[in-house]
Amino acid sequence: MKRYSQSALALAVAMLLLISCAQPPATIKPVSDAPALVWPGPPETPRIQFLYSITEPRDINISQGWFQKVLDYIKGDPRKQIGSPYGIEMDTEGRLYIVDTFYKAVHVFDTKNAKHYLFPDKTIAGFQDPINIALGSNGRIYVSDSGSKQVHVFTGHGKKYQQSIGLGQFERPTGLAVNNHTGELLVLDTPASRLLVFDEQSLGIKRIVGHESKETQGFHYPTNITAAKDGRVYITDSLNYRVQALGPQLDFSKRFGAAGDAPGYFSRPKGIATDSEGNIYVVDALFDNVQIFDNEGRLLLAFGSPGSNRGEFWLPNALFIDDHDRIYVSDSHNKRVQVFQYMKQEVQQP
């Protein structure tokens, strides 16, 4: 354990006080004088615009007070920066939750109260390798743990651990989603190529959907899942190189995509989400882009490319779309989350 003399501690406090006084309030990092980055480019009408990147709390107007800076200085590693993001969610009060597979914890960026913290804040038995996250009813937060083969349940915006479920039922849980239309928690078991369905209130298992197969009603290494507002469910069936679309009762309704290196095809589909118009966004970790399809599976647009500049990706893996059609993409090897805006087409009045 480190020991500090009173004089050294006083000096640290004084230095941090000066730093906190000298720095202006943090703001979202602007794009400076760079032109707007949009897809498609001119002369076509833009539909996607890059907004900003998140690597640490100050990027979204969360700055530390001087006292917290002192504590972080004394404790050492404050784990403020994102190490390797995966699952993303946002609650109705604007808290952004990002699973960090490097730090094995969940970042909470609370913009309303200008706070940042990680959970769990203390050791929890079986919390080993968190990968994805979903928000449920009654303030519940579900975190899939591929290491301990469980799903952990938290409340209090992640500050209160409640329980863990699924021990002995998963080979490796990964993607998960809450279907508010049916009141179910849906959890993908990737190596077992199946979907486990839990009652969201009792957390008891109800049934298992799918099996290892290349046929219509099967999966081969499914990784991510999302539930649209109308109850329809979309799953990235990664090693079948397709998206499986299921109805609210989890009947296999359609699928789209195939292996290939052209637009509309997939190489390693992972993250998936839908916008307010029902369009389907799919992250491809090897293409380093996001492809957008309509609800019939027709390709509309793709954005992103390999690299580390704004609008570029290095092994992206998950995404989330909020109620304002802002698109959050986990850019894992660039250690950031990039944020984009879907711009709806204006309806012309007669």
Side-chain angles (χ1 to χ4, degrees), residues 103-319:
Y103 286 124
K104 302 183 186 300
V106 180
H107 292 270
V108 182
F109 295 90
D110 184 352
T111 55
K112 181 179 179 180
N113 298 299
K115 293 182 179 179
H116 167 268
Y117 59 91
L118 288 88
F119 75 85
D121 61 354
K122 58 184 178 181
T123 301
I124 293 175
F127 196 95
Q128 297 178 17
D129 294 295
I131 186 167
N132 225 317
I133 188 169
L135 305 185
S137 61
N138 301 319
R140 285 176 173 168
I141 299 174
Y142 303 100
V143 180
S144 56
D145 190 320
S146 60
S148 66
K149 305 177 182 180
Q150 300 176 83
V151 172
H152 307 294
V153 186
F154 296 84
T155 58
H157 315 304
K159 295 180 179 179
K160 297 179 181 179
Y161 168 72
Q162 296 293 313
Q163 65 183 103
S164 299
I165 63 172
L167 187 62
Q169 296 173 317
F170 298 115
E171 288 186 32
R172 185 161 66 87
T174 51
L176 71 170
V178 171
N179 192 338
N180 293 317
H181 193 81
T182 60
E184 294 174 331
L185 172 65
L186 312 175
V187 187
L188 289 175
D189 191 350
T190 293
S193 294
R194 60 184 186 173
L195 171 64
L196 278 70
V197 183
F198 295 81
D199 178 78
E200 215 257 307
Q201 292 300 317
S202 68
L203 297 180
I205 190 166
K206 294 174 64 176
R207 56 188 170 129
I208 297 174
V209 176
H211 57 277
E212 174 73 40
S213 176
K214 294 184 178 180
E215 303 303 319
T216 302
Q217 299 192 10
F219 305 113
H220 185 31
Y221 215 79
T223 53
N224 286 264
I225 181 171
T226 190
K229 290 183 178 179
D230 63 1
R232 283 185 285 185
V233 173
Y234 300 95
I235 295 171
T236 45
D237 191 5
S238 291
L239 294 188
N240 275 331
Y241 308 100
R242 65 189 181 189
V243 169
Q244 284 277 23
L246 286 68
Q249 302 306 317
L250 302 179
D251 51 301
F252 288 79
S253 60
K254 67 183 69 175
R255 63 185 189 266
F256 63 86
D261 58 5
Y265 291 81
F266 298 119
S267 180
R268 191 60 55 84
K270 289 215 169 177
I272 189 165
T274 58
D275 66 24
S276 62
E277 295 182 338
N279 300 315
I280 304 160
Y281 296 62
V282 183
V283 169
D284 197 301
L286 292 188
F287 288 164
D288 289 313
N289 72 358
V290 178
Q291 298 189 77
I292 309 174
F293 301 84
D294 67 14
N295 55 22
E296 294 298 322
R298 295 182 290 250
L299 179 68
L300 300 175
L301 178 67
F303 66 93
S305 57
S308 299
N309 294 320
R310 60 193 184 111
E312 297 177 344
F313 301 110
W314 186 6
L315 287 179
N317 51 36
L319 81 163

